[in-house]
């Protein structure tokens, strides 16, 4: 049985039982394990967790950008606007990436080509997917640069990435990502390297573009403050597992999984003293050290004997839209749903 709570509208992005493997020392290891979630048009779902929890690898799996020979989707399904992505040939994926589904990568300075003007790089998507070239492509690039609020776009269209600030480079990346009005936009920590003021500007820009184009947005972040301001739903990942899903208000009011509660307890707050912070002990295990059952067991303050088995994803308080993967939510002797 699927762990996904059906949405009222057909999802723009549906990930079902996705398992992605990485090849280490000649053997395949499950780096993403049975992940399921959906994102509706105009909805923002935040994918949260520490570094190494599988967030970016999930996004790369959706995009079909796994590193050749060392990464592959082992099982599961990824559909974008009803189109199955898993199993497509590279040529078919190239026709969909940037067109049907697009991605803003984490660090624009390493994603942009340093020896090509930004206008030329934005135009690549237009040439590939919309057949624009020459003056038509340049005019559309200028429209996109103005749309993402790059000042003096006509003068800066031929500038190089190093001539832009971090916030302006991120706007260039956003222009490239939305050039073809994709149905689904994956944003992989697009504000991590920006100061708070620029971060707010970029988030507002993304919200405006989403409202205009009706995109579904999967926003990958470890910043829970950003989650509270932009997302409607939250999917928490740990060790490649989805450990909790909830509406954003419910998540912050009633975090149920021990990992979710620990994440929130480790965030500085203005209404409490710094010494009240409770950092999570240890770190995310490597794939070679990952336990077979609950992957949080080595750091969990409520670990019990049953945690050597993988817990199911069960409703919290009888609510279908709030679930957690923890034996604490399963009565003794019961197996739960969707293990």
């Amino acid at each position: 049985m699927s762990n996904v709570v059906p949405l009222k509208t057909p999802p723009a992005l549906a990930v079902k039982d996705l398992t992605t493997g990485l090849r280490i020392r000649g053997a395949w290891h499950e780096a993403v394990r049975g992940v399921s979630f959906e994102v509706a048009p105009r909805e923002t779902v935040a994918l949260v967790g520490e570094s190494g929890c599988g967030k970016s690898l999930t996004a790369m799996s959706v995009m079909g950008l796994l590193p050749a020979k060392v990464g592959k989707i082992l099982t599961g399904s990824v559909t974008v606007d009803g189109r199955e992505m898993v199993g497509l040939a590279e040529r078919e994926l190239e026709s969909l990436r940037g067109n049907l589904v697009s991605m803003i990568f984490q660090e624009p300075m390493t994603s942009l080509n340093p020896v090509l003007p930004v206008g030329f790089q934005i135009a690549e998507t237009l040439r590939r997917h919309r057949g624009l070239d020459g003056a038509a492509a340049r005019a559309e690039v200028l429209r996109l640069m103005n749309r993402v609020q790059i000042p003096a776009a006509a003068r800066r269209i031929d500038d190089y990435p190093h001539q832009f600030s971090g916030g302006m480079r991120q706007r260039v990346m956003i222009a490239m990502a939305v050039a073809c009005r994709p149905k689904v936009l994956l944003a992989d920590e697009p504000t991590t390297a920006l100061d708070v003021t620029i971060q707010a500007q970029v988030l507002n820009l993304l919200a405006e573009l989403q409202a205009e184009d009706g995109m579904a947005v999967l926003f990958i972040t470890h910043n829970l403050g950003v989650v509270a301001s932009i997302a409607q739903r939250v999917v928490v990942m740990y060790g490649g597992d989805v450990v909790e899903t909830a509406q954003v208000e419910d998540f912050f009011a009633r975090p149920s999984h021990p990992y979710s509660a620990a994440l929130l307890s480790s965030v500085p707050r203005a209404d409490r003293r710094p010494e009240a912070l409770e950092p999570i002990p240890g770190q995310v295990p490597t794939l070679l050290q990952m336990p077979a059952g609950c992957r949080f067991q080595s750091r969990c303050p409520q670990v019990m004997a049953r945690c050597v088995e993988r817990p199911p994803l069960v409703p919290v308080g009888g609510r279908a839209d709030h679930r957690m993967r923890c034996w604490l939510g399963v009565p003794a002797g019961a197996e739960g749903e969707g293990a």
Side-chain angles (χ1 to χ4, degrees), residues 8-337:
K8 294 181 180 179
T9 58
L13 171 64
V15 177
K16 297 181 180 179
D17 300 320
L18 176 70
T19 297
T20 297
L22 293 180
R23 189 178 178 88
I24 303 174
R25 299 177 185 174
W28 289 98
H29 299 265
E30 294 179 348
V32 170
R33 185 169 65 162
V35 165
S36 297
F37 60 84
E38 294 180 349
V39 190
R42 300 184 183 277
E43 182 184 34
T44 298
V45 172
L47 193 60
V48 305
E50 295 168 276
S51 297
C53 283
K55 307 184 303 296
S56 295
L57 191 60
T58 298
M60 299 294 274
S61 300
V62 170
M63 293 292 292
L65 290 173
L66 296 171
K69 297 183 180 180
V70 297
K72 68 178 180 180
I73 294 175
L74 302 176
T75 60
S77 169
V78 175
T79 57
V80 177
D81 197 33
R83 177 73 180 269
E84 178 62 59
M85 304 285 285
V86 177
L88 293 181
E90 180 60 27
R91 180 171 295 182
E92 294 175 287
L93 286 171
E94 287 176 358
S95 70
L96 299 178
R97 287 195 294 254
N99 191 18
L100 187 65
V101 56
S102 193
M103 186 168 178
I104 304 170
F105 294 94
Q106 186 168 350
E107 176 46 64
M109 199 57 189
T110 58
S111 300
L112 294 169
N113 192 320
V115 300
L116 293 175
V118 296
F120 181 89
Q121 297 186 60
I122 296 172
E124 284 185 308
T125 299
L126 302 172
R127 288 190 291 268
R128 176 67 177 82
H129 296 295
R130 294 175 54 182
L132 297 182
D133 212 342
R138 188 176 181 87
E140 181 63 9
V141 169
L142 283 173
R143 188 191 71 80
L144 287 166
M145 292 179 70
N146 284 313
R147 191 183 185 207
V148 298
Q149 302 167 17
I150 295 176
R155 178 171 57 83
R156 307 215 62 186
I157 188 172
D158 295 316
D159 284 353
Y160 292 84
H162 73 272
Q163 296 174 281
F164 284 72
S165 67
M168 288 299 112
R169 284 195 293 266
Q170 196 59 274
R171 291 171 189 266
V172 171
M173 292 293 296
I174 293 171
M176 295 170 66
V178 303
C180 295
R181 297 180 179 268
K183 298 289 185 181
V184 175
L185 178 65
L186 311 181
D188 189 1
E189 305 203 33
T191 60
T192 297
L194 306 178
D195 64 50
V196 176
T197 302
I198 303 302
Q199 181 182 93
Q201 293 174 3
V202 170
L203 293 176
N204 288 336
L205 172 60
L206 286 173
E208 291 172 8
L209 296 174
Q210 181 184 31
E212 293 172 11
D213 293 347
M215 297 178 296
V217 176
L218 181 67
F219 198 99
I220 299 168
T221 184
H222 59 263
N223 188 329
L224 295 179
V226 169
V227 172
S229 65
I230 66 164
Q232 288 78 56
R233 290 189 297 123
V234 180
V235 177
V236 183
M237 289 190 71
Y238 183 84
D241 269 346
V242 170
V243 297
E244 186 163 0
T245 64
Q247 298 293 324
V248 68
E249 298 87 355
D250 203 26
F251 172 76
F252 283 99
R254 290 172 291 277
S256 298
H257 193 280
Y259 179 61
S260 302
L263 280 179
L264 288 171
S265 295
S266 65
V267 175
R269 286 171 41 178
D271 61 347
R272 65 184 182 187
R273 296 180 178 181
E275 57 266 26
L277 288 177
E278 300 177 19
I280 306 173
Q283 59 187 9
V284 181
T286 68
L287 277 181
L288 296 178
Q289 300 170 329
M290 198 70 71
C294 172
R295 292 188 161 181
F296 188 55
Q297 61 181 276
S298 62
R299 305 171 72 189
C300 181
Q302 302 181 67
V303 65
M304 50 187 163
R306 205 176 185 186
C307 296
V308 296
E309 303 173 28
R310 189 188 187 207
L313 195 64
V314 295
V316 174
R319 296 185 55 175
D321 62 349
H322 190 170
R323 294 172 178 262
M324 71 168 176
R325 187 180 297 282
C326 184
W327 287 115
L328 292 173
V330 181
E335 289 301 316
E337 176 186 318

